[in-house]
Amino acid sequence: MIAAYDPAAIERTAREQWESARCFEVDEAPGKEKFYCLTMFPYPSGKLHMGHVRVFTISDVIARYQRMQGRHVLQPMGWDAFGMPAENAAIQRGIPPAKWTYDNIAYMRGQLQRMGYAYDWSREVTTCRPEYYRWEQWLFTRMFRKGLVYRRNAVVNWDPVDQTVLANEQVIDGRGWRSDALVERREIPQWFMKITAYAEELLGELDAMPGWPESVKTMQRNWIGRSEGVELEFPVPGEAGPLTVYTTRPDTLFGVTYMAVAAEHPLALKAAESDPAIAAFVAACRLTDATEATFETMEKKGLPLGIDATHPLTGEPVPVWAANFVLMSYGTGAIMAVPGHDARDWEFAKKHGLPIRQVIAPADGSRIDVNDTVYTEPGVLVNSGRFDGLDFTAAFAALADHFESAGTGRRKINYRLRDWGVSRQRYWGAPIPIVYCGECGAVPVPEDQLPVVLPEEVEFTGVGSPLKDMPAFYETTCPACGRAARRETDTFDTFVESSWYFARYACPDSHDAMLDDRVHYWMPVDQYTGGVEHAILHLLYSRFFQRVMRDEGLVRESEPFTNLLTQGMVLKDGAKMSKAKGNTVDPQELIDRYGADTVRLFMMFAAPPEQALEWSDEGVQGSFRFLKRFWAAVQEHVAGGPAGRVEAGALDEPQKQLRRKTHQTIEKISDDIGRRHAFNTAVAAAMELINAVTRFDDASPAGRAVRHEALEAVVLMLSPIVPHICDALWRALGRAGALIDQPWPDFDPAALAQDTIELVVQVNGKLRGRVAVAAEADKDTVIEQALSDPNVQRFVAGKSIRKTIVVPGRLVNIVV
RNA sequence: GCCCGGGUGGCGGAACCGGUAAACGCUGCGGACUUAAAAUCCGCUGGGAGCAAUCCCUUGAGGGUUCGAGUCCCUCCCCGGGCACCA
């Protein structure tokens, strides 16, 4: 009688063994090749969801596989512990954010341990602890001294009823989520980090990052958005200064028929003083939230200001409009409009009856009418005076030279990337270490007074940050002059914590420095895994912080993550699992019913990691069924007593076939996991081999040896995915020593050799037959054999053969 | 609106560099075992024609390149992610 598969008992045994031996705690071993395997750390939202289980399993499979490759593997875990949900819990349920967060962490840590992830828990990092955030406060003060941070006014969503700043997520259809009031844009002073100082480097280095997906690199390139253009001036008669605009198309300058300025632009504000219609327009433009998606999709509106600018080349008057699609905070707050050759300008001109002038003609000489269709391609200049006939490159150079020599313009490289606003008007975050003094201005908190500790005992009113009502927090003295001063009550964007945690895992207990020498051993991260939704912001901020730390002498490398894997979401009924949609599946229930291995296996089998994964309860049962079959196959085999070694020269044909399948499978799974991260096809290949073993009915010593080899290979190769059951089966197969320290199996090329191979025969590209040919047969022999197939003859007979194509080892195509 | 992905049987997916479309699994149907149920095992399972051999059709839609296209190019449709204060 064979013991049934009992996941609960097996998993407990394996877990206790790993924990008591501290299998996953690693130190720095300079002689050994290290592998730093990292997952984007979770926000402690309450309990694990399926998205967590998926990403952590992917990373754990890679970590365990790399360990079997002989590498010294670090896989740490921690908590991105600051954020809005903790404040919402405090408002809704009266639980202090700190308690709510620490309770969630304790519960989720237990769930992670139950999943059997190979984490070094001795390195756990929790970002809401002062011993962590003191170092980002420290780095901020260093950046302050270098001029890498500055303070300026910036736009926020303002809820006029609650009198508070709203996150974009808290604005629903232009209204505050609690008050339902129309949200306004409002400018308040905020701290910025100069990520633009690194724009060129962040862009250029992308070309030397083969371990990142092309799609992510393309998104980052487009986000940074480098453009080469010309900044030039349009004089405005009667005004103090000219209108300065930036354009990447100076070749279209003769096509300018109007200008547009932001509603907040001084020219618009001045006109509003005497014109009620303009004043109303300016007021209406404030009533929108601050997101780019809203801005780009809203109806384009504008009003003429009754002012003309002067065209810098023709001297003609050009009307100036105020428009809602020009923002004061981007560029100069003014644009030149070329409706003939810019799609947005064209639509606006059509709507308001503004003239459209063609100044570019297609290079191929074809005729166009810009009054019917906008023409945005580069071409040859027409209607452009002495610049007529020039192409884009020549016109760009000639016009840029003209303005530079006249002193009214200059070549300029622009970036779409904007500096990173890090101020948040919220409580549950790391305090920004600044003191405002009436005499000295903004003064960074000195190193010996860090950390600025966030008080964890607070009263929540639900509106605004409690820190603003806590004199004990904000009343202080100026570190420079000693006078009474006021502490900054804004906290950091939580992206600040997640921009450097990966380095802190190398030395989480470092009390005297942000990072110590251990970071040189572990960094950079060899494999980083996380959601594709972080492709831009988190990953770009981390690349920026890595460079700031490099320039502080804290780390050596410029890039923090050598290889990046972005995993897809977990969906149910075609939609992302979320509480709001009510389509969540609690992983804990499944772990309790089937065990962690079944959940891990389903996650890896159901879809490739980069793709969205459709949840299926039946699929989970299928994974459980496979583990039961796997368990039974090994138990039945070992019930027959010990098996001997394979004697490769003394096998019959079925034994050779099973052995070939075993070694083909080792080759395939090694490639699937090691190179492709195609865990789904790796599992499918393991299933095929177990199916072959189950059908293989041979109790002879040679047969048992071949079967033993196959089962041992599957146990080793599935162990990164389902480590608990494999640990038990490894011992069942009579092997001593911990499975996690076994080397990954090698395949024997000699076992793959085949005498004959089957080729597909096509006639005119359509499948017409199959032939078995000798493995070393030459082209003529292959064609001769292909033509001898009766079905192929039916399609070739009576026709002349025009061409034959032989793809070695695959197919023959006969073209008639 | 802009940027990045994706669309293949009833379902999840496979097909890696342009070379057998649908591996593996799920579901469903039929059968075995059982007093019965569960579990397990065996067989079939893209559509159509045919007794069969075999043939025709099929990878969101339409066009193109090629001996050959799910894969490459162009146009379009739909779904998802991101758009700087969700994390």
Side-chain angles (χ1 to χ4, degrees):
Chain A
M1 189 62 194
I2 285 161
Y5 171 48
D6 178 0
I10 286 165
E11 293 182 3
R12 193 182 321 109
T13 303
R15 214 162 51 231
E16 285 170 1
Q17 186 184 304
W18 297 330
E19 279 167 24
S20 67
R22 301 185 167 207
C23 284
F24 308 118
E25 290 184 23
V26 282
D27 52 13
E28 295 68 39
K32 287 190 188 169
E33 188 186 355
K34 65 93 183 179
F35 191 91
Y36 183 3
C37 186
L38 182 67
T39 308
M40 291 179 188
F41 64 168
Y43 178 78
S45 51
K47 55 185 183 181
L48 286 191
H49 56 64
M50 285 298 178
H52 290 132
V53 173
R54 187 175 192 203
V55 66
F56 299 147
T57 303
I58 290 167
S59 187
D60 196 48
V61 171
I62 295 170
R64 287 171 176 271
Y65 170 82
Q66 291 295 337
R67 183 183 180 121
M68 294 178 80
Q69 296 293 320
R71 302 205 170 88
H72 198 52
V73 175
L74 167 61
Q75 193 183 202
M77 182 44 64
W79 309 96
D80 187 15
F82 278 133
M84 288 205 306
E87 295 195 18
N88 295 337
I91 294 164
Q92 286 156 15
R93 282 177 273 169
I95 310 164
K99 178 180 164 39
W100 183 84
T101 302
Y102 293 130
D103 287 352
N104 288 346
I105 288 172
Y107 183 74
M108 291 172 75
R109 187 192 298 116
Q111 289 189 298
L112 291 174
Q113 287 163 344
R114 177 68 185 83
M115 287 299 296
Y117 297 132
Y119 296 142
D120 180 350
W121 283 104
S122 74
R123 293 172 185 262
E124 185 177 5
V125 157
T126 305
T127 61
C128 63
R129 294 200 181 275
E131 55 268 32
Y132 180 82
Y133 64 69
R134 71 169 292 177
W135 294 112
E136 69 191 42
Q137 292 176 335
W138 172 82
L139 190 68
F140 181 85
T141 64
R142 304 290 296 182
M143 292 169 78
F144 183 97
R145 289 196 189 94
K146 282 188 172 175
L148 280 173
V149 299
Y150 63 96
R151 196 169 183 241
R152 68 163 165 86
N153 278 349
V155 173
V156 293
N157 300 308
W158 181 255
D159 185 322
V161 171
D162 278 353
Q163 292 282 302
T164 190
V165 174
L166 299 178
N168 286 337
E169 190 191 50
Q170 297 170 315
V171 179
I172 294 145
D173 296 329
R175 291 173 180 275
W177 66 335
R178 290 158 65 80
S179 68
D180 205 36
L182 277 174
V183 168
E184 303 172 5
R185 284 183 303 172
R186 173 175 280 211
E187 292 209 333
I188 59 171
Q190 304 194 61
W191 287 97
F192 282 81
M193 291 188 178
K194 263 193 202 168
I195 190 171
T196 53
Y198 289 87
E200 195 67 50
E201 197 192 334
L202 289 167
L203 178 69
E205 195 69 20
L206 289 169
D207 294 332
M209 292 165 65
W212 280 40
E214 277 308 320
S215 58
V216 174
K217 288 189 284 187
T218 303
M219 278 191 269
Q220 292 215 349
R221 280 188 196 103
N222 293 337
W223 185 263
I224 295 168
R226 184 184 194 274
S227 65
E228 292 179 11
V230 174
E231 190 177 73
L232 52 95
E233 293 165 6
F234 282 65
V236 185
E239 296 295 331
L243 271 181
T244 303
V245 300
Y246 174 80
T247 178
T248 58
R249 293 293 303 272
D251 58 317
T252 64
L253 188 57
F254 283 81
V256 172
T257 57
Y258 62 100
M259 315 273 297
V261 300
E264 302 95 331
H265 193 278
L267 283 182
L269 296 176
K270 188 178 165 195
E273 286 171 16
S274 54
D275 185 332
I278 294 170
F281 179 75
V282 168
C285 285
R286 296 178 66 88
L287 288 175
T288 168
D289 64 70
T291 70
E292 190 184 294
T294 304
F295 174 70
E296 290 284 346
T297 51
M298 70 191 176
E299 194 190 347
K300 307 291 183 282
K301 292 177 183 168
L303 271 187
L305 292 178
I307 304 168
D308 288 335
T310 306
H311 194 286
L313 293 175
T314 65
E316 288 171 14
V318 182
V320 179
W321 287 55
N324 66 346
F325 57 84
V326 182
L327 273 189
M328 207 51 219
S329 49
Y330 299 148
T332 60
I335 61 158
M336 63 179 223
V338 185
H341 305 285
D342 178 274
R344 189 183 59 188
D345 295 348
W346 189 87
E347 274 174 37
F348 192 80
K350 280 283 174 192
K351 187 172 166 185
H352 293 99
L354 290 157
I356 300 173
R357 187 178 301 159
Q358 181 184 351
V359 292
I360 303 291
D364 63 9
S366 57
R367 295 182 66 90
I368 54 163
D369 184 348
V370 294
N371 270 293
D372 292 339
T373 316
V374 65
Y375 184 76
T376 58
E377 302 297 311
V380 178
L381 273 68
V382 294
N383 303 324
S384 297
R386 64 187 170 94
F387 299 97
D388 278 357
L390 297 180
D391 66 9
F392 172 82
T393 310
F396 188 111
L399 283 150
D401 288 345
H402 170 85
F403 285 105
E404 283 180 349
S405 59
T408 55
R410 56 217 66 89
R411 286 178 171 82
K412 195 177 176 195
I413 290 169
N414 241 23
Y415 296 94
R416 208 186 72 96
L417 180 69
R418 309 200 294 269
D419 279 336
W420 177 13
V422 294
S423 294
R424 296 293 178 271
Q425 297 71 43
R426 275 182 265 288
Y427 156 72
W428 188 236
I432 296 175
I434 289 287
V435 170
Y436 299 104
C437 168
E439 295 293 320
C440 310
V443 180
V445 176
E447 187 172 347
D448 61 7
Q449 292 173 34
L450 292 175
V452 178
V453 175
L454 182 73
E456 294 193 353
E457 299 288 319
V458 289
E459 290 286 323
F460 260 88
T461 61
V463 174
S465 166
L467 293 180
K468 291 186 168 56
D469 305 321
M470 294 176 73
F473 177 78
Y474 64 72
E475 285 180 357
T476 185
T477 53
C478 173
C481 70
R483 289 188 181 84
R486 187 181 171 93
R487 193 182 292 288
E488 172 67 84
T489 53
D490 281 356
T491 53
F492 280 130
D493 178 4
T494 59
F495 272 123
V496 175
E497 284 88 58
S498 56
S499 295
W500 68 282
Y501 76 109
F502 46 85
R504 183 69 181 178
Y505 279 133
C507 46
D509 54 356
S510 172
H511 294 297
D512 307 324
M514 185 177 191
L515 302 172
D516 64 30
D517 282 349
R518 289 173 284 175
V519 80
H520 302 315
Y521 178 75
W522 291 113
M523 284 295 287
V525 172
D526 294 279
Q527 179 68 54
Y528 195 35
T529 306
V532 68
E533 66 271 21
H534 295 294
I536 294 175
L537 293 180
H538 162 60
L539 289 169
L540 197 59
Y541 292 150
S542 295
R543 296 180 64 219
F544 164 55
F545 252 59
Q546 177 77 9
R547 286 167 169 77
V548 172
M549 292 190 290
R550 176 199 64 193
D551 294 345
E552 266 311 308
L554 294 163
V555 295
R556 290 178 188 145
E557 295 77 18
S558 300
E559 288 298 335
F561 314 122
T562 306
N563 294 291
L564 176 70
L565 194 161
T566 51
Q567 108 279 0
M569 294 181 305
V570 180
L571 311 177
K572 190 167 181 219
D573 307 323
K576 183 178 180 172
M577 278 193 187
S578 69
K579 282 180 197 161
K581 292 201 187 72
N583 61 349
T584 56
V585 176
D586 185 357
Q588 194 59 48
E589 282 178 29
L590 295 161
I591 295 163
D592 292 343
R593 191 181 327 162
Y594 299 110
D597 279 341
T598 291
V599 176
R600 293 172 61 118
L601 180 66
F602 174 71
M603 282 288 178
M604 294 299 95
F605 179 56
E610 304 83 3
Q611 266 179 46
L613 181 154
E614 184 69 35
W615 184 260
S616 156
D617 291 328
E618 293 81 10
V620 178
Q621 284 186 46
S623 292
F624 184 55
R625 204 170 335 185
F626 169 72
L627 290 182
K628 284 194 286 189
R629 283 196 293 129
F630 180 30
W631 176 267
V634 173
Q635 298 294 347
E636 276 169 29
H637 168 72
V638 300
R645 288 175 59 88
V646 172
E647 302 288 343
L651 302 179
D652 64 22
E653 194 47 41
Q655 291 163 352
K656 265 192 203 162
Q657 268 181 31
L658 179 61
R659 186 149 191 271
R660 186 181 305 129
K661 181 89 180 168
T662 299
H663 287 268
Q664 281 171 346
T665 305
I666 295 172
E667 184 182 27
K668 173 162 177 57
I669 296 183
S670 302
D671 187 54
D672 280 355
I673 296 185
R675 178 181 64 92
R676 297 208 300 149
H677 294 150
F679 310 111
N680 55 328
T681 55
V683 171
M687 287 174 167
E688 281 193 61
L689 183 53
I690 289 297
N691 290 345
V693 167
T694 308
R695 282 194 298 269
F696 181 74
D697 187 20
D698 181 346
S700 71
R704 289 184 44 72
V706 168
R707 181 164 49 230
H708 193 90
E709 184 188 41
L711 290 169
E712 220 173 78
V714 178
V715 168
L716 285 167
M717 292 191 294
L718 283 185
S719 71
I721 297 171
V722 284
H724 310 87
I725 188 174
C726 289
D727 180 77
L729 293 177
W730 185 247
R731 276 178 280 116
L733 285 167
R735 299 294 299 253
L739 176 59
I740 52 165
D741 290 320
Q742 293 300 313
W744 186 258
D746 287 323
F747 66 93
D748 175 5
L752 301 179
Q754 272 178 288
D755 301 336
T756 59
I757 48 177
E758 188 180 68
L759 291 188
V760 164
V761 185
Q762 296 180 336
V763 179
N764 287 350
K766 281 190 183 282
L767 176 64
R768 297 302 179 193
R770 292 159 210 274
V771 286
V773 299
E776 68 280 3
D778 63 15
K779 190 180 170 183
D780 291 341
T781 315
V782 167
I783 291 168
E784 193 182 318
Q785 276 190 260
L787 286 170
S788 69
D789 182 274
N791 201 49
V792 171
Q793 267 303 316
R794 282 176 51 205
F795 288 89
V796 174
K799 297 174 179 134
S800 62
I801 295 170
R802 290 223 322 256
K803 192 173 176 183
T804 54
I805 293 131
V806 176
V807 182
R810 283 206 172 260
L811 61 70
V812 181
N813 189 15
I814 297 158
V815 185
V816 296

